[in-house]
Amino acid sequence: MCTAATYLTDHFFFGRNLDYERGFGERVTVTPRSFPLPMRHLNEVTQHYAMIGMASVQAGYPLYYDAVNEKGLCIAGLNFVSSAAYRPCPAEGRGVAQFELIPWLLGSCAGVDEACRLLEGVCITDDAFLPGLPPAKLHWLLADRQRCVVIEQTADGLHIYDDPAGVLTNEPPFPLQMFQLNNYAQLSARPPENRFSPALPLRAYSRGMGAMGLPGDLSSQSRFVRTAFTRLNSASGTGVAEGASQLFHILGAAAQQRGCCVLEDGNCELTLYTSCCDADTGVYYYTTYDSGHVSAVDMHREELDGAALISYPLDDVWHVRLQN
């Protein structure tokens, strides 16, 4: 399971938790402008915007989990196993394979509005990337500084939903996630008032009681509510350090610790990494489960007019600074 969120100060930040029981050799990967993007049902894209994000590189191709392009358009794919419905490419219309969607949108579009127009009439297809590697069932959070949307293809077709909460988790479909926020309209970051009865001398005996009832479990619906509350009530100063730090804290409210979510086979789901990309500067920050140290890759220090992928293994060493 996963959680993704946006955060806006004087910079625009986009990040996610990747929650799973094991990794797939993911690396921070830069796709330069001339790296060819073959398409199963459309013409190959030979020139496009550069992008950086987390990807598993298979057969020389970046299977992105989340990424940002040089124009500040960001996207993350999250598990949507019960509801995602891909189809064969229609005889009429345009088909985009699930694994092509992120590089195709980021390579082609400078913003969300342009991406939404590009998606008109598109079917996300069920093509496997390789034999034995079926398409992951996902939905996507797509955002820029001005707008945030959710992309879902379910049994009744492709949907694009505006996302005023700036958050996405997994199941259920996004409209149901948003509807559940109605159950928490009484929550507040401020101290509670006694509305139970004026006949009783009820008082707040602790700080933070205005948010009593905020769900604390690890289910996707509860993580959606908790992250939306944290994000929408979050406050930070300006500058990269404060904004990025705040988004790491927002996502930390939904992080999974080893041993707290045990799967049927006995493995434990945990937050393998947390990312935070500064969409204004093209710097991709991340932490891993075994390292609270923030690492960063700046895509503008790479050769963005090249044709070869650039990728970096994750820095998952536990960094400890000792005082003399």
Side-chain angles (χ1 to χ4, degrees):
M1 297 300 198
C2 304
T3 304
T6 66
Y7 192 62
L8 179 65
T9 60
D10 59 332
H11 282 242
F12 176 58
F13 300 96
F14 182 97
R16 63 96 53 81
N17 293 337
L18 182 77
D19 304 328
Y20 210 64
E21 64 269 26
R22 63 186 179 92
F24 294 90
E26 50 273 355
R27 301 163 67 97
V28 179
T29 301
V30 178
T31 299
R33 301 178 186 117
S34 298
F35 178 83
L37 296 173
M39 305 288 290
R40 295 291 174 89
H41 308 289
L42 300 174
N43 293 331
E44 179 178 78
V45 180
T46 56
Q47 291 292 318
H48 49 78
Y49 295 126
M51 63 197 80
I52 184 173
M54 194 71 75
S56 173
V57 179
Q58 301 288 334
Y61 186 91
L63 300 174
Y64 276 110
Y65 306 172
D66 54 270
V68 57
N69 73 8
E70 59 184 300
K71 296 297 185 179
L73 181 63
C74 309
I75 191 169
L78 288 79
N79 272 347
F80 195 45
V81 175
S82 298
S83 300
Y86 307 140
R87 299 178 179 83
C89 184
E92 296 182 359
R94 295 182 299 154
V96 175
Q98 172 270 322
F99 60 86
E100 298 170 340
L101 186 69
I102 288 181
W104 181 62
L105 289 178
L106 294 192
S108 306
C109 303
V112 171
D113 290 346
E114 187 179 354
C116 290
R117 291 192 294 271
L118 186 64
L119 285 166
E120 291 177 3
V122 164
C123 171
I124 302 175
T125 69
D126 56 3
D127 295 86
F129 177 68
L130 291 171
L133 191 59
K137 292 190 173 183
L138 306 174
H139 58 175
W140 294 266
L141 187 68
L142 178 72
D144 60 21
R145 176 179 281 269
Q146 285 78 35
R147 187 181 177 193
C148 180
V149 300
V150 172
I151 303 166
E152 295 181 346
Q153 184 167 289
T154 53
D156 58 347
L158 183 71
H159 303 277
I160 300 175
Y161 303 104
D162 279 298
D163 182 356
V167 173
L168 184 64
T169 57
N170 309 101
E171 298 283 354
F174 180 71
L176 296 177
Q177 293 196 28
M178 280 296 296
F179 181 80
Q180 288 298 318
L181 294 181
N182 289 291
N183 295 329
Y184 301 93
Q186 77 282 1
L187 300 188
S188 173
R190 301 186 178 278
E193 299 178 19
N194 176 15
R195 293 179 176 151
F196 190 89
S197 171
L200 299 176
L202 304 179
R203 61 182 181 85
Y205 55 83
S206 171
R207 294 179 179 179
M209 291 180 65
M212 287 190 74
L214 187 67
D217 64 87
L218 297 177
S219 67
S220 58
Q221 182 64 74
S222 293
R223 284 185 286 105
F224 180 84
V225 174
R226 189 164 67 254
T227 307
F229 178 85
T230 306
R231 175 192 176 276
L232 293 168
N233 288 284
S234 188
S236 70
T238 58
V240 174
E242 285 198 44
S245 173
Q246 193 70 355
L247 181 53
F248 275 115
H249 284 294
I250 291 167
L251 292 168
Q256 298 204 33
Q257 295 75 38
R258 184 184 285 116
C260 295
C261 178
V262 180
L263 307 178
E264 290 81 358
D265 60 5
N267 287 316
C268 296
E269 186 169 85
L270 65 149
T271 299
L272 297 175
Y273 74 83
T274 300
S275 66
C276 169
C277 54
D278 182 343
D280 296 340
T281 63
V283 178
Y284 187 92
Y285 302 93
Y286 69 91
T287 62
T288 67
Y289 189 85
D290 291 318
S291 174
H293 175 81
V294 177
S295 300
V297 179
D298 182 350
M299 80 178 199
H300 291 288
R301 295 190 179 186
E302 309 297 340
E303 177 48 66
L304 296 185
D305 285 322
L309 287 181
I310 306 121
S311 63
Y312 296 92
L314 299 194
D315 182 0
D316 58 1
V317 177
W318 187 23
H319 292 263
V320 180
R321 178 177 297 169
L322 299 177
Q323 298 275 340
N324 288 332

